[in-house]
Amino acid sequence: MLNRQSGTSMVEVLVSIVIVVLGLLGLAGLQSHAALAQAEAFQRAQAIVLLQDMTDRINANRNYAEAFVTATELGTGLTIEDCTAKTGAEREKCEWSNALLGASESAGGVKVGAMTDARGCITRTVAAKPQEYEVAVVWQGVTPSKAPGTTCGQTRYGSDERFRRALVTTVRIACLYNNSTTGVCLYP
């Protein structure tokens, strides 16, 4: 007479353990990818806020929008600059540069309010009327992606341009003419 086996064999237990371990390894990999995606999303959200901030500053000061054009990238300093003695567009650019450095938020004395190595550029893209300006915010990404089309921040983040992130917007300032014979622009 044959004895019937009851319970599970050692092989079945080992197969079950291997399946559980593989599942847990997959979850650990998913966790690390989720953390990277969260870091990228946080930086992009910060960049959107900073981009909109400068766009609003230019729109609020249309009469001297040309003064907002930057010869060099903003946000390149190592320390926060005192902007109180500056006026007009120079003060606006100084405050924006400080925001790019993360001056708006800090935790334990460390600036945490901006992206990694953030930079900002403002260029005039159309010389004729209406005026047109390009505002760009660039920063160093966590993972490689497609390289952005803007030249702002180029070669700042190593030889691999796929780590450079950028958000770019265009600000157009309409030209309202005084009359058809003079062609003089009046800005609101």
Side-chain angles (χ1 to χ4, degrees), residues 175-186:
C175 181
L176 305 174
Y177 292 98
N178 188 12
N179 63 43
S180 61
T181 58
T182 63
V184 175
C185 285
L186 297 175

